[in-house]
Amino acid sequence: MTALDLSSPVAVVGTGTMGQGIAQVALVAGHPVRLHDAAPGRAREAADAIGARLDRLVEKGRLTAADRDAARARLLPVDELTGLAGCALVVEAVLERLDVKQELLRVLEDVVSDDCLLATNTSSLSVTAIGGALRVPGRFVGLHFFNPAPLLPLVEVVSGFATEVSYATRAYETARAWGKTPVACADTPGFIVNRIARPFYAEAFAVYESQGADPATIDAVLRESGGFRMGAFELTDLIGQDVNESVTHSVWRSFFQDVRFTPSLAQRRLVESGRLGRKSGRGWYDYRDGAERPEPHTAEPAEPPAYVVAEGGLGPASELLALIREAGIEVREEDEDEGTRLVLPGGGQLVLADGQTSVEFHDVVYFDLALDYRTAPRVALSHCQDTSARTVAEATGLFQALGKKVSVIGDVPGMIVARTVARIIDLAHDAVAKGVATEEDIDTAMRSGVNYPLGPFEWNRRLGRGWAGSLLEELHEREPSGRYAPSLALGRHAYASDKREDTP
């Protein structure tokens, strides 16, 4: 099936922020749109609100006055569900309760034709379970828009267990015709984005709970070293701590309390205290009038070393060698089959985060992964209390000589960016192996849905086969709960890559 014809009416049931946004998208695309809400008068209020947003689009030059007037003429609020008869697509965006959605769909099915495409915008419930109430479940899909729907491009097109391919294709092509970026996925807890994004929050919270670093420092490292648009703490404050925690709990419960998705106790306490983020005035940060934003930890200036000895390459951090030379610091290279470190003049070692801890070795400072060491404005270092002050100073001065701010954190295995990226890569491989989505759609979803600088598979290709699995194995050895155990899919990927390289 192809996309819906623009003459086909589209209906949205539920006129909250998301319902209004979806209606606006369909309206601007050219469809007649009908709005319904169970609360009397709410559909009319929503139509007026959409009209006001169209006015703003005209003011900004993004819509012509003629197109606005035509769109307003196509927008019709209806008081009764019977007013949705004849619609080719109905999207429900009502309360996130299974019983509420199922009852609505039972009634809708008696109103619309049997070939009307029915869709849910649920972000946390099973599409299969919602559609289980239908007489014709094959025409039911998930159309998960991201808020704000008119601005964010991604739409997850979710096929339930009973969804027919032809209807999923129609939904996909319709979303694309509306100017969105659709990705196809199976009905799995969290779909693509909310499943694979869990480590971004979870690992930041875990570093905080282990007293490795404060929220401002962790956020700064994720942004300025990892290349993420926002840090985990500021992002969850924006989303709402209650909303973010609810999604985490939903995914965790749906996966039968899989330890990989375990919620954060620190976030639970935040929610219990009513500190929900920006909307309540306080979350991880204080947003009340006059409150000062805490600064990330930044090391004081230190003298750079006169030289470094590179034992082997630095793997994903190999570009550092050129940067060090450009900074006027001598690089002495020694061939080491297993060496992937820099030796400093005082004898201490500087090693890329690998899932181990500084306390296990003599005089070692770890440095975190960066998206691009040349452009990253900040790099994190970690060490234990036994690391010599000279080694810490030389490591700090080295990165400062490269023009980087340095944040020194506790002796946390995998540090911040490295452990986060490794877990995201692992969950992405696991999702592909279980038929959730393709590699391409997962990369697209993570870039478009949550603005990651790279998709998980792009990260993996850049970092090299085996990197994520090796780091996770080391983390698992130090925390054998199963949280960091690399998936079979990730291991198979590394082994398959080995075999391809060994084939003459």
Side-chain angles (χ1 to χ4, degrees):
M1 291 184 178
T2 58
L4 293 176
D5 188 271
L6 289 180
S7 64
S8 303
V10 172
V12 178
V13 180
T15 58
T17 301
M18 185 58 78
Q20 290 183 32
I22 296 170
Q24 181 179 329
V25 170
L27 191 65
V28 172
H31 288 272
V33 174
R34 301 175 189 176
L35 289 174
H36 173 75
D37 198 288
R42 190 71 59 79
R44 168 56 61 187
E45 293 174 2
D48 291 340
I50 293 170
R53 285 197 289 275
L54 295 179
D55 288 339
R56 289 195 290 274
L57 290 177
V58 172
E59 292 170 3
K60 295 177 180 179
R62 298 176 184 171
L63 190 69
T64 67
D67 286 342
R68 174 200 59 195
D69 295 342
R72 278 180 165 171
R74 295 193 302 272
L75 183 59
L76 177 66
V78 297
D79 294 328
E80 303 295 334
L81 283 174
T82 52
L84 306 185
C87 286
L89 166 63
V90 181
V91 183
E92 70 80 11
V94 300
L95 189 66
E96 280 286 278
R97 274 180 43 188
L98 180 62
D99 59 335
V100 172
K101 292 179 183 292
Q102 287 182 328
E103 179 57 31
L104 168 64
L105 288 166
R106 289 191 190 99
V107 176
L108 273 174
E109 205 167 27
D110 292 332
V111 172
V112 300
S113 65
D114 282 355
D115 65 348
C116 173
L117 179 61
L118 297 178
T120 175
N121 185 58
T122 186
S123 61
S124 61
L125 299 176
S126 164
V127 171
T128 300
I130 298 172
L134 291 171
R135 174 172 45 82
V136 187
R139 42 85 171 267
F140 184 66
V141 300
L143 276 178
H144 182 216
F145 288 76
F146 288 73
N147 193 31
L151 297 180
L152 294 186
L154 186 68
V155 178
E156 293 177 319
V157 181
V158 186
S159 294
F161 186 78
T163 302
E164 294 178 11
V165 172
S166 60
Y167 284 100
T169 301
R170 178 187 291 177
Y172 184 98
E173 294 300 333
T174 297
R176 185 159 64 177
W178 290 357
K180 293 301 181 182
T181 303
V183 291
C185 66
D187 183 22
T188 183
F191 308 143
I192 297 175
V193 171
N194 281 329
R195 172 179 178 150
I196 295 173
R198 293 348 292 166
F200 179 75
Y201 312 107
E203 294 312 307
F205 297 160
V207 173
Y208 168 76
E209 289 173 337
S210 67
Q211 300 187 56
D214 61 277
T217 299
I218 296 170
D219 277 353
V221 172
L222 285 168
R223 287 194 316 269
E224 299 174 38
S225 184
F228 293 95
R229 183 75 59 87
M230 298 179 73
F233 297 90
E234 58 190 344
L235 180 55
T236 52
D237 269 356
L238 178 63
I239 295 168
Q241 297 302 331
D242 52 340
V243 174
N244 182 261
E245 192 206 29
S246 176
V247 173
T248 299
H249 271 269
S250 175
V251 173
W252 177 60
R253 288 192 302 268
S254 297
F255 277 112
F256 308 104
Q257 301 185 2
D258 187 328
V259 69
R260 295 177 301 168
F261 302 101
T262 301
S264 161
L265 180 59
Q267 188 180 40
R268 175 92 292 262
R269 293 292 180 258
L270 206 65
V271 173
E272 289 173 340
S273 69
R275 297 185 178 187
L276 306 182
R278 289 180 178 271
K279 62 185 177 184
S280 69
R282 296 184 74 182
W284 295 110
Y285 300 107
D286 192 339
Y287 300 94
R288 296 172 297 180
D289 291 343
E292 293 186 8
R293 180 70 175 259
E295 293 294 325
H297 173 271
T298 302
E300 294 295 324
E303 288 294 320
Y307 67 90
V308 295
V309 179
E311 294 188 349
L314 291 180
S318 59
E319 64 183 317
L320 278 176
L321 298 179
L323 297 179
I324 294 170
R325 290 189 178 96
E326 291 169 16
I329 298 172
E330 181 186 358
V331 177
R332 304 173 183 174
E333 296 192 54
E334 294 185 3
D335 291 333
E336 294 285 342
D337 291 339
E338 298 181 0
T340 54
R341 57 187 173 267
L342 296 175
V343 179
L344 300 165
Q349 298 178 37
L350 187 57
V351 183
L352 175 63
D354 59 6
Q356 301 182 83
T357 56
S358 180
V359 73
E360 301 170 55
F361 304 96
H362 175 67
D363 215 14
V364 166
V365 170
Y366 277 103
F367 65 97
D368 207 352
L369 182 68
L371 173 67
D372 184 337
Y373 285 101
R374 181 172 292 277
T375 60
R378 184 180 299 271
V379 170
L381 304 180
S382 71
H383 65 88
C384 68
Q385 61 184 7
D386 295 329
T387 306
S388 72
R390 178 175 177 179
T391 295
V392 175
E394 288 179 341
T396 300
L398 175 64
F399 280 103
Q400 289 174 340
L402 306 186
K404 316 300 180 188
K405 295 177 182 178
V406 174
S407 290
V408 181
I409 70 170
D411 191 18
V412 178
M415 301 192 68
I416 298 171
V417 179
R419 68 195 285 170
T420 299
V421 170
R423 286 209 61 215
I424 289 170
I425 289 171
D426 183 55
L427 288 187
H429 277 86
D430 185 55
V432 169
K434 292 177 178 173
V436 174
T438 65
E439 291 185 8
E440 181 180 2
D441 275 356
I442 288 175
D443 275 354
T444 298
M446 302 314 290
R447 289 193 313 269
S448 301
V450 279
N451 290 312
Y452 282 6
L454 295 174
F457 296 96
E458 292 173 314
W459 267 113
N460 196 51
R461 287 190 291 272
R462 174 180 290 198
L463 296 171
R465 59 171 173 76
W467 177 86
S470 176
L471 187 141
L472 290 173
E473 285 172 357
E474 295 291 354
L475 280 167
H476 176 58
E477 185 176 330
R478 285 149 188 81
E479 188 181 318
S481 64
R483 176 186 179 113
Y484 298 105
S487 67
L488 178 59
L490 186 61
R492 281 177 168 163
H493 172 78
Y495 291 137
S497 297
D498 282 338
K499 287 180 180 179
R500 282 194 295 270
E501 289 189 2
D502 292 339
T503 300

